[in-house]
C-alpha cells in the first residue's frame, strides 16, 4: 500500500563567533573595542583579561563588547599581548590572546 504522509522538523543552530586577536584603541573608527561577534548566543558572558605575568587587569561579569584596552581604573594598558578567558552562561569557556596596539 501507500504510506501515510509524515512531517519531520530539524533545527540548525549557527554560532557565528569571531574573537579578534588585535584591537587598536587609538581614536580612529576601527578596532576600538574587543568585540565578540555572536556573543548573544552565549547568554550572560564574563570576560577576564590578564597581562603576560598573569595579573588580572580587567574583568566584566556581564560583558557587552565595551572593553577598549583600559584597566580597572580606566588607564590605558600599554601596547602588549594580553590573555583572555570568556566564560558563558551555558558553561562553556574560551581562552586566547589579544594584542593591543595604539
Amino acid at each position: 500500500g501507500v504510506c501515510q504522509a509524515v512531517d519531520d522538523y530539524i533545527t540548525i543552530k549557527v554560532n557565528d563567533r569571531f574573537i579578534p586577536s588585535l584591537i587598536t584603541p587609538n581614536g580612529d573608527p576601527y578596532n576600538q573595542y574587543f568585540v565578540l561577534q555572536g556573543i548573544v548566543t552565549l547568554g550572560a558572558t564574563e570576560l577576564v583579561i590578564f597581562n603576560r605575568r598573569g595579573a588580572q587587569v580587567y574583568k566584566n561579569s556581564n560583558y557587552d563588547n565595551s572593553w577598549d584596552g583600559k584597566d580597572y581604573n580606566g588607564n590605558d594598558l600599554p601596547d602588549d599581548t594580553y590573555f583572555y578567558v570568556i566564560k558563558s552562561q551555558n558553561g562553556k569557556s574560551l581562552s586566547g590572546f589579544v594584542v593591543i596596539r595604539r
Side-chain angles (χ1 to χ4, degrees), residues 50-96:
F50 301 91
N51 66 17
R52 60 175 63 237
R53 289 176 297 286
Q56 185 174 306
V57 295
Y58 178 82
K59 181 178 179 179
N60 187 325
S61 297
N62 193 16
Y63 188 59
D64 58 356
N65 287 331
S66 62
W67 184 61
D68 59 354
K70 295 186 187 305
D71 66 11
Y72 287 113
N73 300 316
N75 300 314
D76 289 342
L77 291 168
D79 288 5
D80 206 346
T81 301
Y82 295 85
F83 301 90
Y84 63 80
V85 175
I86 300 165
K87 297 177 186 174
S88 65
Q89 184 178 24
N90 64 12
K92 294 186 180 180
S93 292
L94 303 167
S95 61

Side-chain angles (χ1 to χ4, degrees), residues 11-54:
T11 301
I12 299 174
K13 185 176 178 182
V14 178
N15 294 324
D16 289 331
R17 283 189 216 110
F18 173 76
I19 301 174
S21 59
L22 172 74
I23 61 171
T24 57
N26 57 7
D28 70 7
Y30 308 102
N31 303 315
Q32 295 296 300
Y33 300 96
F34 187 64
V35 176
L36 306 174
Q37 294 178 4
I39 194 172
V40 294
T41 64
L42 298 174
T45 303
E46 177 182 81
L47 172 68
V48 183
I49 304 288
F50 301 91
N51 66 17
R52 60 175 63 237
R53 289 176 297 286

